[in-house]
Amino acid sequence: MKKIFTYLFLATILVVSCKKDKNDSDNYNAISKITFGSCSHQFVQFKEIFTTMLADSPDLHIAGGDNIYGDFFALAPGTKDYIESSYEMMWNDARVSKFYSTIPTIATWDDHDFGENDGVKNNPVKAAAKNLFFQWWQIPIESPRRHNPDGGIYGTYYYGDDAHKVQVIMLDLRWNHDPYKAAGPAAALGGYDTIMTPGKGMMGETQWTWLKSELLKPAKIRIIMSSLQFSASYNGGEAWSVFPLEQQRMYDLIQETRAEGIFFLSGDVHFADFNKQERPGVYPLWDFTSSGLTHYEEEPYPSDFRVGEIFNRYNYGVIDIDWKASPVTITVSIKDYKGEVRKQQVLTLDDLKF
C-alpha cells in the first residue's frame, strides 16, 4: 500500500473527448518509440510532464494504471459520479487532453481507476468503473476487451509486420483479484501477507487461458503491461510477490510456450524502478517501472532484485527500438519532467531468448 495521498481543492469540471483507441487490431506500421507511465492524479496542478512526453513524439503511449484517482482519497470506494468527475477533471487539463488527442494511447487500470484503493474482485463500484474506463479510453464496442467472458478488461495489441511485430499485452490485475487475508486501510498500511493457497491470485483462470493463447502467437517483441510490479521482491506492498504461486505460474507459462522477447512494464509505486529476476528454465525477466507522472514517493520500497538506483521524482518511461541493429536493440529509459534521462537499460533480443 502506498502512503495515503490526498489533495483537496475546488475545480470547474468540463467534459472533453479522449483520442479513440484505434489500436485494437493489427497496425502494420513498425513502431520504434513507445512512452509509458502511471499514477496521474486529477487534483494535482503539476502536469507539465504531459507536454514533455508529447515533445518526444512517441508512436504509442501505454497508460499503465492509476490514470485517474476515482476512490475517495484511499479511504473508501468512489461512486459512479465521482469516478466520472475524476476523468472529466483530468481531461479538462489542456496538457493532458492535447497529449491524449495527439498520441495513440492504450490503457489498463489499477486500483484507483478501478474505483477502490487496493481494490479486489468484491469492489462494489467495479462495474461502474469498467463502463467509464471503456467510455473515456474510447475502447470500440467491437473490441474483445469489452467481451471477455470473465468480465476483465485485458487485451492484446499488435504493431508492425511479421519482421517488426510488437505485441503489447495489457493485463487486468483487478477484476478477478482474490481478497487479501486482511482488508481496509489499516491492513494495507501494515503490509499484506503472502498468499500461498493454490488457485488464488490476481488474474483468474479465464485470463490465464487467454494469456497462454496470446503467448503462442508470433511476435518479435512482447511487452506485458502489469499494473503491479512483477519482478520486485516481497515488501508487503501490492505486487506479484504477494502471490508467489501465481508469480511462478507466469515463469512456468513462459517456459511452456517458449515465448521469447518478453519484458514487463509496471506502475503503482510512485517511483521509477528496474528489477530483474532469473529463475531456472527461463531467460531473465525484466520489469521496468515508471510511476509518478504527477506525484512521487519519498520512501520507496526495497527490492532484492533492483538494478541500479530508483528515481523518485516525476517520471515517465521511453522504449526505443532499433530495428536495424543486429540483434535488435531495445533501450528503456526513465525521463524526468524536463525530458532528461535519469535511468537507462539496454537490452537486445538475444537477452530475451531461451
Side-chain angles (χ1 to χ4, degrees):
M1 155 83 179
K2 303 169 291 298
K3 291 183 175 64
I4 293 177
F5 169 73
T6 305
Y7 294 85
L8 294 170
F9 69 92
L10 298 177
T12 301
I13 301 173
L14 299 174
V15 178
V16 296
S17 64
C18 162
K19 185 177 181 67
K20 185 175 180 180
D21 180 346
K22 296 182 179 179
N23 300 300
D24 221 49
S25 59
D26 285 2
N27 178 341
Y28 289 102
N29 294 319
I31 60 173
S32 59
K33 183 185 290 287
I34 303 169
T35 53
F36 64 100
S38 64
C39 304
S40 53
H41 203 302
Q42 67 274 7
F43 283 178
V44 179
Q45 290 296 309
F46 184 89
K47 293 187 174 69
E48 283 81 355
I49 201 164
F50 285 90
T51 301
T52 307
M53 288 195 297
L54 181 61
D56 258 321
S57 299
D59 302 311
L60 175 71
H61 179 71
I62 301 175
D66 293 342
N67 308 303
I68 53 99
Y69 280 62
D71 57 301
F72 286 118
F73 310 108
L75 298 175
T79 62
K80 176 183 179 297
D81 289 344
Y82 185 77
I83 297 170
E84 185 165 26
S85 70
S86 300
Y87 279 108
E88 290 170 346
M89 186 179 294
M90 181 64 73
W91 266 267
N92 186 46
D93 188 287
R95 297 158 294 187
V96 175
S97 61
K98 184 176 182 179
F99 179 81
Y100 286 140
S101 65
T102 304
I103 304 301
T105 299
I106 57 177
T108 191
W109 62 13
D110 199 34
D111 53 336
H112 296 292
D113 27 16
F114 186 55
E116 182 179 27
N117 183 55
D118 293 0
V120 296
K121 65 183 181 182
N122 59 7
N123 171 15
V125 297
K126 71 178 191 178
K130 181 168 77 169
N131 290 336
L132 290 166
F133 177 90
F134 287 153
Q135 173 189 332
W136 281 90
W137 292 108
Q138 297 197 13
I139 308 295
I141 294 297
E142 66 276 11
S143 168
R145 298 185 71 179
R146 285 181 174 263
H147 304 287
N148 290 318
D150 61 351
I153 65 162
Y154 49 87
T156 309
Y157 299 81
Y158 291 90
Y159 305 90
D161 59 19
D162 289 346
H164 307 88
K165 183 79 74 177
V166 176
Q167 179 190 52
V168 185
I169 296 174
M170 309 292 280
L171 298 182
D172 179 348
L173 304 185
R174 292 297 169 183
W175 189 265
N176 291 296
H177 190 306
D178 286 306
Y180 295 110
K181 293 180 180 178
L189 286 171
Y192 293 113
D193 293 334
T194 56
I195 296 176
M196 299 296 293
T197 306
K200 296 294 184 180
M202 300 178 289
M203 286 177 42
E205 287 302 318
T206 301
Q207 188 173 180
W208 276 109
T209 300
W210 162 84
L211 179 60
K212 179 178 179 178
S213 70
E214 294 302 315
L215 293 182
L216 289 170
K217 296 176 181 178
K220 296 296 184 183
I221 296 173
R222 304 175 193 270
I223 302 171
I224 299 181
M225 180 67 244
S226 165
S227 58
L228 299 176
Q229 287 190 306
F230 178 78
S231 294
S233 60
Y234 174 76
N235 52 48
E238 287 200 297
W240 284 77
S241 59
V242 175
F243 293 92
L245 298 181
E246 189 167 51
Q247 187 182 45
Q248 183 60 49
R249 184 173 182 176
M250 181 67 78
Y251 281 91
D252 294 342
L253 181 61
I254 294 171
Q255 184 176 17
E256 177 188 355
T257 58
R258 308 299 289 179
E260 297 183 332
I262 291 175
F263 60 91
F264 288 78
L265 305 181
S266 58
D268 175 61
V269 292
H270 302 170
F271 57 88
D273 196 15
F274 294 174
N275 286 272
K276 179 181 71 170
Q277 281 205 41
E278 301 182 57
R279 297 191 185 184
V282 183
Y283 51 87
L285 290 185
W286 286 85
D287 176 8
F288 300 105
T289 304
S290 174
S291 176
L293 290 170
T294 64
H295 51 285
Y296 51 84
E297 181 64 68
E298 291 288 355
E299 298 179 11
Y301 296 129
S303 175
D304 296 334
F305 304 109
R306 180 165 293 146
V307 178
E309 300 296 323
I310 58 93
F311 178 68
N312 61 334
R313 292 294 184 269
Y314 312 109
N315 69 87
Y316 67 100
V318 182
I319 302 167
D320 289 296
I321 305 170
D322 186 350
W323 292 107
K324 295 180 179 180
S326 182
V328 173
T329 299
I330 303 163
T331 302
V332 183
S333 306
I334 294 296
K335 293 187 177 182
D336 62 20
Y337 77 95
K338 295 181 179 179
E340 297 179 2
V341 174
R342 297 294 188 156
K343 287 179 63 67
Q344 192 170 81
Q345 180 66 45
V346 179
L347 303 174
T348 73
L349 286 188
D350 283 352
D351 298 321
L352 306 176
K353 294 174 64 176
F354 286 97

